[in-house]
Amino acid sequence: MLDPCTFVIFGSTGHLARTKLLPALYHLDRAGRLTDDMAVVCVGRRAWDTPYWRDEASKILQAKLGEALDSEVLNRFRGRLQYFRADIHDEEAFKRLQEVLETTPNFPANAVFYLSLAPTEYRPVARHLADNGLSEETSGWRRLVIEKPFGYDLEDAQVLNHSLHRGFAEQQIFRIDHYLGKETVQNVFVFRFANLMLEPLWNRNYIDHVQITHSETAGIEDRAAYYDGAGALRDMIQSHLLQMLTLVAMEPPAILDAESLRDEKVKVLKSIRPIPKSAVHAQAFRAQYGRGRIDSREAPSYLEEEGVAERSTTETYAALKLYIDNWRWRHVPFYLRTGKRMARSSSQISIRFKHPPQQLFRETQIAEIPPNWLLLGIQPEQCLRAELQVREGGIGMRTRTTQLDASTCTQTGYRLDAYEALLLDVIEGDHSLFLRYDEVNWAWQVVDPILKVWSIERDFIHTYPAGSWGPKEGDRLFEREDQKWRDSLMEENR
Ligand SMILES: NC(=O)c1ccc[n+]([C@@H]2O[C@H](COP(=O)([O-])OP(=O)(O)OC[C@H]3O[C@@H](n4cnc5c(N)ncnc54)[C@H](OP(=O)(O)O)[C@@H]3O)[C@@H](O)[C@H]2O)c1
């Protein structure tokens, strides 16, 4: 059972709160993980009250969970919800909030403040909380959850961090990257460090290269105001994809606590070879979706999306080639790519092994043996798959590729959502799956030179048809012709 706490959500009427936070809290309630007295205070500026909000929240959960919604749990969950009407720019509101939190009978003294707000609001809200004594841990603990993106660039992240630390100690701050809450992402860690047989192969001697892909069929939907100023590199690579890279590349920590884990991730980020301005074109590629077809429906180009600037060169596709200059990974390229309006929605890590040192079968019907791959599906399929070569039955020497699936591929049943896992960790005070500031800082250092070059090159951007895997021109990142993007976990689609 967790500590009792009052869970305060700023931005409770927004997309994240509706789609992730409320359902996650409901599921934790259903699983019996919340104490009886836990309260959920939902801050919103709309002229609503608690009974109205309880009905609204029930509709949100009903729409999301359908028949899986349990009426008894819903009743209990509704009882936890309180609506607190406030404009976050009104300092008086924080005084009232402080009073409500301290004087309402049955509200536990421990409190989480979850900032599910636009990134520009993190600083003022954290400051108001601190100015009104809400960060002080006199009667219970106080924790602040910051959503991604943490900062707009390296400098902005530094300013934000400095500002948060005026009111909150590092131990009170939880910087979320919800990818780290995904079960398969955590499985990368278990897969690597619970299976001794992999360790001797997990280095530059055997691995040819690593690919990390996150693709979405969705466009920017109604997020032009945010996305047109951000782009794919900031939105996905600086955070989620670099986090996945650290898990693939890190050394085993001495012990399994939050600091040791994060120390090892930081070492990886620090070892990424800086990209000088002169190498940006060789190591980074960007593009933007044009018109195309998704699921046999016409899709508009990025420039036709509502709210996008007329001649915007914001990238909706970004790919990078990175090198980690340490003993384990020297000279092994890590290729990262992400895109919107791509052919399929998926996240996967694909690790390609080198060819055997001798092509023993050269004189047979086998022209060239395909290399081994290790595939880690993050979403929608969660799986671990190894591709090996076996002999084809019949006369002569032929081989075919076969896949060994780890059981997670076929496992069915309930899976813990990333946000459920992370909210539990916040309440338990476990920082392992949250970003320490130096991680964020080093991740910004990786992408910052690219952002700087792209920000002045605003006259041209490659395009790709919506519904495709991105432009061919992006293949120039590959070191050799036999390297190409792996789009699928399935062998036949290569
Ligand atoms: N949505 C996702 O799936 C997702 C995923 C990962 C990270 N994030 C991050 O999570 C954060 C929230 O994203 P979101 O998509 O939920 O944004 P959103 O839908 O725009 O929600 C923003 C929330 O802030 C509230 N708000 C704005 N100004 C306010 C004010 N002056 N006083 C009180 N409340 C105010 C809005 O209230 P109104 O409803 O009254 O406008 C709304 O509830 C962002 O930092 C985003 O980057 C979101």
Side-chain angles (χ1 to χ4, degrees), residues 10-17 19-20 43-46 86-89 115-119 121-122 147-149 178 223 226 240 419:
F10 286 90
S12 52
T13 52
H15 181 261
L16 182 72
T19 57
K20 296 289 179 189
V43 182
R45 59 180 158 179
R46 305 185 192 194
D87 190 303
I88 50 173
H89 300 135
L115 307 195
S116 182
L117 298 164
E121 308 292 6
Y122 302 156
E147 261 297 338
K148 73 131 223 184
H178 69 269
R223 295 173 71 219
Y226 159 73
H240 306 321
Y419 274 93

mmCIF file of all heavy atoms in Angstrom, residues 10-17 19-20 43-46 86-89 115-119 121-122 147-149 178 223 226 240 419, ligand 1:
data_model
loop_
_atom_site.group_PDB
_atom_site.id
_atom_site.type_symbol
_atom_site.label_atom_id
_atom_site.label_comp_id
_atom_site.label_asym_id
_atom_site.label_seq_id
_atom_site.Cartn_x
_atom_site.Cartn_y
_atom_site.Cartn_z
ATOM 1 N N PHE A 10 -2.788 19.949 -12.121
ATOM 2 C CA PHE A 10 -2.996 21.214 -12.833
ATOM 3 C C PHE A 10 -3.220 20.862 -14.307
ATOM 4 O O PHE A 10 -2.468 20.076 -14.867
ATOM 5 C CB PHE A 10 -1.760 22.115 -12.700
ATOM 6 C CG PHE A 10 -1.624 22.715 -11.337
ATOM 7 C CD1 PHE A 10 -0.902 22.059 -10.346
ATOM 8 C CD2 PHE A 10 -2.235 23.934 -11.037
ATOM 9 C CE1 PHE A 10 -0.785 22.609 -9.079
ATOM 10 C CE2 PHE A 10 -2.116 24.487 -9.767
ATOM 11 C CZ PHE A 10 -1.396 23.816 -8.793
ATOM 12 N N GLY A 11 -4.232 21.475 -14.899
ATOM 13 C CA GLY A 11 -4.533 21.152 -16.312
ATOM 14 C C GLY A 11 -5.390 19.910 -16.405
ATOM 15 O O GLY A 11 -5.269 19.117 -17.343
ATOM 16 N N SER A 12 -6.297 19.731 -15.439
ATOM 17 C CA SER A 12 -7.080 18.489 -15.390
ATOM 18 C C SER A 12 -8.119 18.387 -16.501
ATOM 19 O O SER A 12 -8.640 17.303 -16.754
ATOM 20 C CB SER A 12 -7.740 18.334 -14.025
ATOM 21 O OG SER A 12 -8.431 19.500 -13.719
ATOM 22 N N THR A 13 -8.428 19.495 -17.168
ATOM 23 C CA THR A 13 -9.388 19.409 -18.279
ATOM 24 C C THR A 13 -8.679 19.154 -19.608
ATOM 25 O O THR A 13 -9.322 19.057 -20.649
ATOM 26 C CB THR A 13 -10.184 20.732 -18.389
ATOM 27 O OG1 THR A 13 -9.250 21.822 -18.434
ATOM 28 C CG2 THR A 13 -11.124 20.905 -17.216
ATOM 29 N N GLY A 14 -7.348 19.057 -19.595
ATOM 30 C CA GLY A 14 -6.579 18.926 -20.833
ATOM 31 C C GLY A 14 -6.498 17.487 -21.342
ATOM 32 O O GLY A 14 -6.987 16.540 -20.704
ATOM 33 N N HIS A 15 -5.827 17.341 -22.472
ATOM 34 C CA HIS A 15 -5.765 16.059 -23.171
ATOM 35 C C HIS A 15 -5.056 14.986 -22.339
ATOM 36 O O HIS A 15 -5.538 13.868 -22.188
ATOM 37 C CB HIS A 15 -5.043 16.279 -24.515
ATOM 38 C CG HIS A 15 -4.942 15.048 -25.345
ATOM 39 N ND1 HIS A 15 -3.807 14.277 -25.390
ATOM 40 C CD2 HIS A 15 -5.849 14.438 -26.142
ATOM 41 C CE1 HIS A 15 -4.016 13.250 -26.188
ATOM 42 N NE2 HIS A 15 -5.249 13.329 -26.665
ATOM 43 N N LEU A 16 -3.916 15.329 -21.783
ATOM 44 C CA LEU A 16 -3.146 14.329 -21.037
ATOM 45 C C LEU A 16 -3.918 13.833 -19.811
ATOM 46 O O LEU A 16 -3.967 12.631 -19.527
ATOM 47 C CB LEU A 16 -1.800 14.922 -20.595
ATOM 48 C CG LEU A 16 -0.905 13.952 -19.843
ATOM 49 C CD1 LEU A 16 -0.328 12.912 -20.773
ATOM 50 C CD2 LEU A 16 0.228 14.678 -19.122
ATOM 51 N N ALA A 17 -4.530 14.779 -19.099
ATOM 52 C CA ALA A 17 -5.264 14.390 -17.893
ATOM 53 C C ALA A 17 -6.440 13.481 -18.261
ATOM 54 O O ALA A 17 -6.691 12.470 -17.591
ATOM 55 C CB ALA A 17 -5.759 15.630 -17.162
ATOM 56 N N THR A 19 -6.863 11.619 -21.086
ATOM 57 C CA THR A 19 -6.552 10.335 -21.729
ATOM 58 C C THR A 19 -5.652 9.438 -20.896
ATOM 59 O O THR A 19 -5.674 8.221 -21.050
ATOM 60 C CB THR A 19 -5.876 10.551 -23.101
ATOM 61 O OG1 THR A 19 -4.704 11.351 -22.880
ATOM 62 C CG2 THR A 19 -6.809 11.250 -24.079
ATOM 63 N N LYS A 20 -4.829 10.034 -20.041
ATOM 64 C CA LYS A 20 -3.849 9.213 -19.319
ATOM 65 C C LYS A 20 -3.982 9.274 -17.799
ATOM 66 O O LYS A 20 -3.984 8.239 -17.135
ATOM 67 C CB LYS A 20 -2.419 9.648 -19.706
ATOM 68 C CG LYS A 20 -2.081 9.420 -21.155
ATOM 69 C CD LYS A 20 -1.935 7.951 -21.453
ATOM 70 C CE LYS A 20 -1.619 7.679 -22.896
ATOM 71 N NZ LYS A 20 -1.674 6.266 -23.227
ATOM 72 N N VAL A 43 -7.399 20.805 -10.713
ATOM 73 C CA VAL A 43 -7.417 22.253 -10.891
ATOM 74 C C VAL A 43 -7.831 22.571 -12.329
ATOM 75 O O VAL A 43 -7.291 21.999 -13.275
ATOM 76 C CB VAL A 43 -6.017 22.853 -10.595
ATOM 77 C CG1 VAL A 43 -6.047 24.376 -10.740
ATOM 78 C CG2 VAL A 43 -5.540 22.443 -9.207
ATOM 79 N N GLY A 44 -8.803 23.466 -12.466
ATOM 80 C CA GLY A 44 -9.259 23.872 -13.797
ATOM 81 C C GLY A 44 -9.790 25.287 -13.744
ATOM 82 O O GLY A 44 -10.214 25.760 -12.688
ATOM 83 N N ARG A 45 -9.743 25.966 -14.886
ATOM 84 C CA ARG A 45 -10.195 27.368 -14.860
ATOM 85 C C ARG A 45 -11.667 27.508 -15.246
ATOM 86 O O ARG A 45 -12.219 28.583 -15.202
ATOM 87 C CB ARG A 45 -9.334 28.216 -15.776
ATOM 88 C CG ARG A 45 -9.355 27.734 -17.215
ATOM 89 C CD ARG A 45 -8.487 28.623 -18.075
ATOM 90 N NE ARG A 45 -8.081 27.915 -19.275
ATOM 91 C CZ ARG A 45 -7.342 28.441 -20.226
ATOM 92 N NH1 ARG A 45 -6.918 29.677 -20.116
ATOM 93 N NH2 ARG A 45 -7.016 27.746 -21.292
ATOM 94 N N ARG A 46 -12.281 26.408 -15.670
ATOM 95 C CA ARG A 46 -13.669 26.499 -16.121
ATOM 96 C C ARG A 46 -14.608 26.641 -14.926
ATOM 97 O O ARG A 46 -14.305 26.149 -13.836
ATOM 98 C CB ARG A 46 -14.042 25.258 -16.921
ATOM 99 C CG ARG A 46 -13.059 25.058 -18.071
ATOM 100 C CD ARG A 46 -13.447 23.925 -18.938
ATOM 101 N NE ARG A 46 -12.332 23.601 -19.839
ATOM 102 C CZ ARG A 46 -12.426 22.842 -20.894
ATOM 103 N NH1 ARG A 46 -13.589 22.285 -21.204
ATOM 104 N NH2 ARG A 46 -11.383 22.599 -21.655
ATOM 105 N N ALA A 86 -9.501 27.521 -10.578
ATOM 106 C CA ALA A 86 -8.429 28.514 -10.444
ATOM 107 C C ALA A 86 -7.803 28.795 -11.787
ATOM 108 O O ALA A 86 -7.660 27.900 -12.623
ATOM 109 C CB ALA A 86 -7.349 27.966 -9.507
ATOM 110 N N ASP A 87 -7.433 30.068 -11.955
ATOM 111 C CA ASP A 87 -6.596 30.415 -13.100
ATOM 112 C C ASP A 87 -5.166 30.381 -12.594
ATOM 113 O O ASP A 87 -4.857 30.995 -11.558
ATOM 114 C CB ASP A 87 -6.966 31.814 -13.627
ATOM 115 C CG ASP A 87 -6.284 32.080 -14.949
ATOM 116 O OD1 ASP A 87 -5.036 31.998 -14.994
ATOM 117 O OD2 ASP A 87 -6.987 32.335 -15.936
ATOM 118 N N ILE A 88 -4.306 29.675 -13.313
ATOM 119 C CA ILE A 88 -2.937 29.506 -12.793
ATOM 120 C C ILE A 88 -2.129 30.799 -12.811
ATOM 121 O O ILE A 88 -1.047 30.868 -12.247
ATOM 122 C CB ILE A 88 -2.175 28.410 -13.575
ATOM 123 C CG1 ILE A 88 -2.300 28.645 -15.081
ATOM 124 C CG2 ILE A 88 -2.676 27.024 -13.181
ATOM 125 C CD1 ILE A 88 -1.451 27.712 -15.906
ATOM 126 N N HIS A 89 -2.649 31.817 -13.483
ATOM 127 C CA HIS A 89 -1.929 33.097 -13.468
ATOM 128 C C HIS A 89 -2.338 33.982 -12.296
ATOM 129 O O HIS A 89 -1.801 35.065 -12.116
ATOM 130 C CB HIS A 89 -2.147 33.847 -14.794
ATOM 131 C CG HIS A 89 -1.655 33.057 -15.958
ATOM 132 N ND1 HIS A 89 -2.354 32.907 -17.123
ATOM 133 C CD2 HIS A 89 -0.530 32.305 -16.104
ATOM 134 C CE1 HIS A 89 -1.688 32.129 -17.948
ATOM 135 N NE2 HIS A 89 -0.576 31.745 -17.349
ATOM 136 N N LEU A 115 2.049 18.856 -13.002
ATOM 137 C CA LEU A 115 1.863 19.975 -13.921
ATOM 138 C C LEU A 115 1.566 19.456 -15.330
ATOM 139 O O LEU A 115 2.457 19.282 -16.152
ATOM 140 C CB LEU A 115 3.086 20.885 -13.934
ATOM 141 C CG LEU A 115 3.579 21.396 -12.583
ATOM 142 C CD1 LEU A 115 4.546 22.563 -12.765
ATOM 143 C CD2 LEU A 115 2.440 21.826 -11.666
ATOM 144 N N SER A 116 0.289 19.211 -15.578
ATOM 145 C CA SER A 116 -0.130 18.744 -16.909
ATOM 146 C C SER A 116 -0.535 19.974 -17.722
ATOM 147 O O SER A 116 -1.690 20.125 -18.128
ATOM 148 C CB SER A 116 -1.283 17.756 -16.748
ATOM 149 O OG SER A 116 -1.674 17.270 -17.991
ATOM 150 N N LEU A 117 0.433 20.846 -17.899
ATOM 151 C CA LEU A 117 0.207 22.178 -18.480
ATOM 152 C C LEU A 117 1.169 22.399 -19.632
ATOM 153 O O LEU A 117 2.163 21.671 -19.766
ATOM 154 C CB LEU A 117 0.508 23.241 -17.412
ATOM 155 C CG LEU A 117 -0.346 23.230 -16.164
ATOM 156 C CD1 LEU A 117 0.324 24.061 -15.066
ATOM 157 C CD2 LEU A 117 -1.740 23.787 -16.471
ATOM 158 N N ALA A 118 0.920 23.443 -20.405
ATOM 159 C CA ALA A 118 1.876 23.811 -21.455
ATOM 160 C C ALA A 118 3.233 24.077 -20.806
ATOM 161 O O ALA A 118 3.293 24.616 -19.690
ATOM 162 C CB ALA A 118 1.375 25.050 -22.171
ATOM 163 N N PRO A 119 4.328 23.689 -21.474
ATOM 164 C CA PRO A 119 5.664 23.839 -20.880
ATOM 165 C C PRO A 119 5.979 25.261 -20.406
ATOM 166 O O PRO A 119 6.707 25.438 -19.434
ATOM 167 C CB PRO A 119 6.603 23.423 -22.018
ATOM 168 C CG PRO A 119 5.773 22.541 -22.886
ATOM 169 C CD PRO A 119 4.366 23.018 -22.787
ATOM 170 N N GLU A 121 4.195 27.092 -18.770
ATOM 171 C CA GLU A 121 3.552 27.333 -17.473
ATOM 172 C C GLU A 121 4.286 26.660 -16.309
ATOM 173 O O GLU A 121 3.957 26.894 -15.160
ATOM 174 C CB GLU A 121 2.090 26.837 -17.487
ATOM 175 C CG GLU A 121 1.235 27.348 -18.638
ATOM 176 C CD GLU A 121 0.948 28.849 -18.556
ATOM 177 O OE1 GLU A 121 1.499 29.522 -17.660
ATOM 178 O OE2 GLU A 121 0.193 29.338 -19.414
ATOM 179 N N TYR A 122 5.274 25.790 -16.603
ATOM 180 C CA TYR A 122 5.935 25.071 -15.504
ATOM 181 C C TYR A 122 6.584 26.047 -14.513
ATOM 182 O O TYR A 122 6.463 25.893 -13.305
ATOM 183 C CB TYR A 122 7.037 24.121 -16.013
ATOM 184 C CG TYR A 122 6.611 23.053 -16.999
ATOM 185 C CD1 TYR A 122 7.545 22.484 -17.872
ATOM 186 C CD2 TYR A 122 5.308 22.588 -17.056
ATOM 187 C CE1 TYR A 122 7.183 21.495 -18.777
ATOM 188 C CE2 TYR A 122 4.940 21.599 -17.963
ATOM 189 C CZ TYR A 122 5.892 21.068 -18.822
ATOM 190 O OH TYR A 122 5.533 20.098 -19.720
ATOM 191 N N GLU A 147 6.073 17.472 -16.810
ATOM 192 C CA GLU A 147 5.906 16.714 -18.049
ATOM 193 C C GLU A 147 7.027 17.051 -19.024
ATOM 194 O O GLU A 147 7.757 18.022 -18.852
ATOM 195 C CB GLU A 147 4.543 17.058 -18.669
ATOM 196 C CG GLU A 147 3.457 16.034 -18.387
ATOM 197 C CD GLU A 147 3.769 14.668 -18.988
ATOM 198 O OE1 GLU A 147 4.556 14.586 -19.931
ATOM 199 O OE2 GLU A 147 3.221 13.670 -18.483
ATOM 200 N N LYS A 148 7.131 16.272 -20.060
ATOM 201 C CA LYS A 148 8.072 16.624 -21.111
ATOM 202 C C LYS A 148 7.361 17.553 -22.089
ATOM 203 O O LYS A 148 6.128 17.506 -22.164
ATOM 204 C CB LYS A 148 8.628 15.370 -21.786
ATOM 205 C CG LYS A 148 7.613 14.663 -22.703
ATOM 206 C CD LYS A 148 8.177 14.344 -24.056
ATOM 207 C CE LYS A 148 7.196 14.660 -25.126
ATOM 208 N NZ LYS A 148 7.482 14.356 -26.450
ATOM 209 N N PRO A 149 8.004 18.429 -22.807
ATOM 210 C CA PRO A 149 9.451 18.592 -22.895
ATOM 211 C C PRO A 149 9.991 19.437 -21.750
ATOM 212 O O PRO A 149 9.330 20.381 -21.334
ATOM 213 C CB PRO A 149 9.629 19.329 -24.222
ATOM 214 C CG PRO A 149 8.379 20.134 -24.376
ATOM 215 C CD PRO A 149 7.291 19.318 -23.756
ATOM 216 N N HIS A 178 7.480 9.418 -20.308
ATOM 217 C CA HIS A 178 6.595 8.268 -20.076
ATOM 218 C C HIS A 178 7.057 7.022 -20.826
ATOM 219 O O HIS A 178 6.609 5.918 -20.527
ATOM 220 C CB HIS A 178 5.135 8.609 -20.410
ATOM 221 C CG HIS A 178 4.869 8.811 -21.856
ATOM 222 N ND1 HIS A 178 4.943 10.022 -22.451
ATOM 223 C CD2 HIS A 178 4.534 7.928 -22.831
ATOM 224 C CE1 HIS A 178 4.669 9.899 -23.738
ATOM 225 N NE2 HIS A 178 4.406 8.630 -23.993
ATOM 226 N N ARG A 223 -2.377 20.095 -32.603
ATOM 227 C CA ARG A 223 -1.263 20.583 -31.778
ATOM 228 C C ARG A 223 -0.295 21.488 -32.543
ATOM 229 O O ARG A 223 0.880 21.599 -32.180
ATOM 230 C CB ARG A 223 -0.516 19.399 -31.172
ATOM 231 C CG ARG A 223 -1.374 18.597 -30.173
ATOM 232 C CD ARG A 223 -0.665 17.362 -29.728
ATOM 233 N NE ARG A 223 0.457 17.637 -28.845
ATOM 234 C CZ ARG A 223 1.619 16.984 -28.886
ATOM 235 N NH1 ARG A 223 1.816 16.038 -29.759
ATOM 236 N NH2 ARG A 223 2.581 17.297 -28.040
ATOM 237 N N TYR A 226 1.876 24.038 -30.617
ATOM 238 C CA TYR A 226 3.074 23.503 -29.967
ATOM 239 C C TYR A 226 4.050 22.966 -31.010
ATOM 240 O O TYR A 226 5.234 23.307 -31.024
ATOM 241 C CB TYR A 226 2.676 22.390 -28.979
ATOM 242 C CG TYR A 226 3.804 21.449 -28.649
ATOM 243 C CD1 TYR A 226 4.850 21.864 -27.828
ATOM 244 C CD2 TYR A 226 3.854 20.159 -29.186
ATOM 245 C CE1 TYR A 226 5.913 21.013 -27.544
ATOM 246 C CE2 TYR A 226 4.901 19.305 -28.911
ATOM 247 C CZ TYR A 226 5.936 19.722 -28.086
ATOM 248 O OH TYR A 226 6.987 18.888 -27.815
ATOM 249 N N HIS A 240 12.464 10.701 -25.738
ATOM 250 C CA HIS A 240 12.207 9.253 -25.774
ATOM 251 C C HIS A 240 13.312 8.430 -26.456
ATOM 252 O O HIS A 240 13.735 7.403 -25.953
ATOM 253 C CB HIS A 240 10.904 8.964 -26.516
ATOM 254 C CG HIS A 240 9.723 9.703 -25.981
ATOM 255 N ND1 HIS A 240 9.517 9.918 -24.643
ATOM 256 C CD2 HIS A 240 8.661 10.265 -26.616
ATOM 257 C CE1 HIS A 240 8.385 10.577 -24.478
ATOM 258 N NE2 HIS A 240 7.851 10.807 -25.654
ATOM 259 N N TYR A 419 1.706 5.271 -17.594
ATOM 260 C CA TYR A 419 1.373 6.304 -16.603
ATOM 261 C C TYR A 419 0.995 5.688 -15.256
ATOM 262 O O TYR A 419 1.291 6.267 -14.212
ATOM 263 C CB TYR A 419 0.286 7.236 -17.133
ATOM 264 C CG TYR A 419 0.884 8.361 -17.950
ATOM 265 C CD1 TYR A 419 1.013 8.253 -19.328
ATOM 266 C CD2 TYR A 419 1.369 9.509 -17.342
ATOM 267 C CE1 TYR A 419 1.591 9.268 -20.080
ATOM 268 C CE2 TYR A 419 1.954 10.530 -18.082
ATOM 269 C CZ TYR A 419 2.059 10.410 -19.449
ATOM 270 O OH TYR A 419 2.649 11.414 -20.174
HETATM 271 N N1 LIG B 1 -1.348 14.991 -24.458
HETATM 272 C C1 LIG B 1 -0.438 14.036 -24.380
HETATM 273 O O1 LIG B 1 -0.670 12.883 -24.740
HETATM 274 C C2 LIG B 1 0.926 14.356 -23.815
HETATM 275 C C3 LIG B 1 1.938 13.374 -23.883
HETATM 276 C C4 LIG B 1 3.180 13.643 -23.330
HETATM 277 C C5 LIG B 1 3.417 14.863 -22.728
HETATM 278 N N2 LIG B 1 2.431 15.814 -22.690
HETATM 279 C C6 LIG B 1 2.701 17.089 -22.017
HETATM 280 O O2 LIG B 1 1.713 17.284 -21.011
HETATM 281 C C7 LIG B 1 1.393 18.667 -20.883
HETATM 282 C C8 LIG B 1 -0.093 18.854 -21.079
HETATM 283 O O3 LIG B 1 -0.439 18.464 -22.386
HETATM 284 P P1 LIG B 1 -1.942 18.394 -22.903
HETATM 285 O O4 LIG B 1 -1.878 17.734 -24.216
HETATM 286 O O5 LIG B 1 -2.825 17.836 -21.865
HETATM 287 O O6 LIG B 1 -2.275 19.951 -23.111
HETATM 288 P P2 LIG B 1 -3.728 20.604 -23.221
HETATM 289 O O7 LIG B 1 -4.714 19.636 -23.707
HETATM 290 O O8 LIG B 1 -3.528 21.877 -23.980
HETATM 291 O O9 LIG B 1 -4.092 20.960 -21.702
HETATM 292 C C9 LIG B 1 -3.609 22.099 -21.059
HETATM 293 C C10 LIG B 1 -4.373 22.289 -19.769
HETATM 294 O O10 LIG B 1 -3.926 23.505 -19.161
HETATM 295 C C11 LIG B 1 -5.075 24.235 -18.741
HETATM 296 N N3 LIG B 1 -4.791 25.667 -18.676
HETATM 297 C C12 LIG B 1 -4.252 26.448 -19.634
HETATM 298 N N4 LIG B 1 -4.170 27.712 -19.215
HETATM 299 C C13 LIG B 1 -4.678 27.742 -17.960
HETATM 300 C C14 LIG B 1 -4.893 28.753 -17.014
HETATM 301 N N5 LIG B 1 -4.542 30.021 -17.258
HETATM 302 N N6 LIG B 1 -5.423 28.425 -15.827
HETATM 303 C C15 LIG B 1 -5.798 27.144 -15.550
HETATM 304 N N7 LIG B 1 -5.621 26.125 -16.426
HETATM 305 C C16 LIG B 1 -5.082 26.426 -17.618
HETATM 306 C C17 LIG B 1 -6.085 23.934 -19.824
HETATM 307 O O11 LIG B 1 -7.370 24.293 -19.378
HETATM 308 P P3 LIG B 1 -8.599 24.482 -20.414
HETATM 309 O O12 LIG B 1 -9.092 23.091 -20.674
HETATM 310 O O13 LIG B 1 -9.571 25.322 -19.670
HETATM 311 O O14 LIG B 1 -8.039 25.148 -21.634
HETATM 312 C C18 LIG B 1 -5.890 22.441 -19.959
HETATM 313 O O15 LIG B 1 -6.532 21.756 -18.924
HETATM 314 C C19 LIG B 1 2.251 19.381 -21.929
HETATM 315 O O16 LIG B 1 3.418 19.838 -21.324
HETATM 316 C C20 LIG B 1 2.588 18.296 -22.929
HETATM 317 O O17 LIG B 1 3.806 18.553 -23.588
HETATM 318 C C21 LIG B 1 1.194 15.574 -23.214
#
